[in-house]
Amino acid sequence: MFFFDPLYLLLMLPGVAFAAWASWRTKSAFDKYSRIGTLNGLSGAEAAKRLLDGAGIHDVQIVPTEGVLSDHYNPMTKTLALSQPVYGSRSIAAVGVACHEAGHAIQHARGYKPLHLRSALVPTAGIGSKLGYFVMLGGLFLMMVSPGLGQNVVLFGAVLFSAVLVFQLVTLPVEFDASNRAKELAVANGIIFEQERPGMDKVLNAAAMTYIAAVVSTLLTLLYFLIRAGLLGGRDD
Ligand SMILES: [Zn+2]
């Protein structure tokens, strides 16, 4: 019954469609600019190194990692992990992604607050996303037997689930700031020429959209449970 709920489909489908579109766009922008080499000719790893050197950061290790679009910076180990299609490639896409990850390393070195907040929220968000969803779901079923109690359980689950939303919201400035640093510093350090910026921008902006899609999906999920439990909008029964 829950899975045939028209309200569920009405609220979930746009979120799923938006997320799918954003991830498709990220992949297609990356594929397109993976085939276009940079004028400078640096590889992703070399570009990240030059960006960090330019920022006076010399204690970050740049290593290759498995997987596609698995690039990330680990503040605990000060390791910048670049996926195979990024590490050795001399394309605009590879250099763009590498510079974005270097942007995270610069945030870390400069004590950029949202990055630290985001790291601190990781464990809470992980628990909240799984537990919160099932508590909200359990609350809806409980409402059939005991409306008052079930409603409170949904509310409690929603509070847990909100940890994910907070995490995803804090992620937004972190990601946008890393991309802004990457775009600016890549040109300033001669890694990317001004005429190559539109390509780099397309790759990084498409990736940023996936983070917005994640926020929208979480918001819609939360909205569904709150409406269904009669906690938002009018009662429908
Ligand atoms: Zn990032």
Side-chain angles (χ1 to χ4, degrees):
M1 38 179 247
F2 161 70
F3 294 101
F4 299 107
D5 186 348
L7 181 68
Y8 188 77
L9 294 178
L10 189 74
L11 288 175
M12 290 304 110
L13 283 181
V16 170
F18 186 21
W21 173 77
S23 107
W24 168 80
R25 233 173 120 247
T26 302
K27 205 189 158 294
S28 74
F30 187 85
D31 285 349
K32 180 178 175 190
Y33 289 98
S34 283
R35 290 191 289 269
I36 304 173
T38 59
L39 296 171
N40 182 306
L42 292 177
S43 68
E46 289 162 353
K49 173 95 171 65
R50 184 184 284 196
L51 203 86
L52 293 175
D53 282 345
I57 297 165
H58 307 289
D59 58 348
V60 169
Q61 255 200 307
I62 301 165
V63 298
T65 187
E66 299 290 314
V68 178
L69 296 177
S70 56
D71 311 81
H72 65 276
Y73 170 69
N74 184 343
M76 309 281 265
T77 56
K78 290 197 176 180
T79 310
L80 209 162
L82 299 177
S83 62
Q84 301 290 356
V86 169
Y87 190 90
S89 162
R90 299 171 194 285
S91 68
I92 291 179
V95 166
V97 170
C99 289
H100 169 91
E101 297 308 329
H104 286 307
I106 295 172
Q107 290 175 332
H108 184 220
R110 302 278 188 269
Y112 176 73
K113 292 239 162 52
L115 180 75
H116 292 272
L117 183 58
R118 185 181 181 275
S119 303
L121 287 170
V122 170
T124 330
I127 298 164
S129 78
K130 290 185 188 76
L131 200 62
Y133 190 88
F134 287 106
V135 172
M136 289 192 294
L137 194 57
L140 274 196
F141 283 106
L142 190 59
M143 277 181 75
M144 289 186 259
V145 191
S146 170
L149 181 64
Q151 199 178 42
N152 280 319
V153 171
V154 173
L155 190 60
F156 177 63
V159 172
L160 288 176
F161 195 70
S162 296
V164 189
L165 185 63
V166 172
F167 174 77
Q168 289 172 337
L169 286 173
V170 172
T171 296
L172 293 182
V174 174
E175 293 304 327
F176 281 89
D177 178 82
S179 284
N180 287 339
R181 287 177 200 260
K183 291 168 187 172
E184 199 184 305
L185 294 174
V187 174
N189 287 284
I191 297 164
I192 285 282
F193 290 101
E194 199 58 63
Q195 65 265 38
E196 299 175 296
R197 261 290 301 275
M200 181 186 183
D201 288 7
K202 272 188 193 130
V203 171
L204 295 183
N205 294 347
M209 196 61 82
T210 62
Y211 293 101
I212 296 174
V215 170
V216 171
S217 289
T218 302
L219 261 177
L220 290 174
T221 304
L222 209 49
L223 202 61
Y224 169 77
F225 283 101
L226 292 178
I227 292 173
R228 257 300 159 254
L231 291 157
L232 257 187
R235 280 183 180 277
D236 56 273
D237 54 349

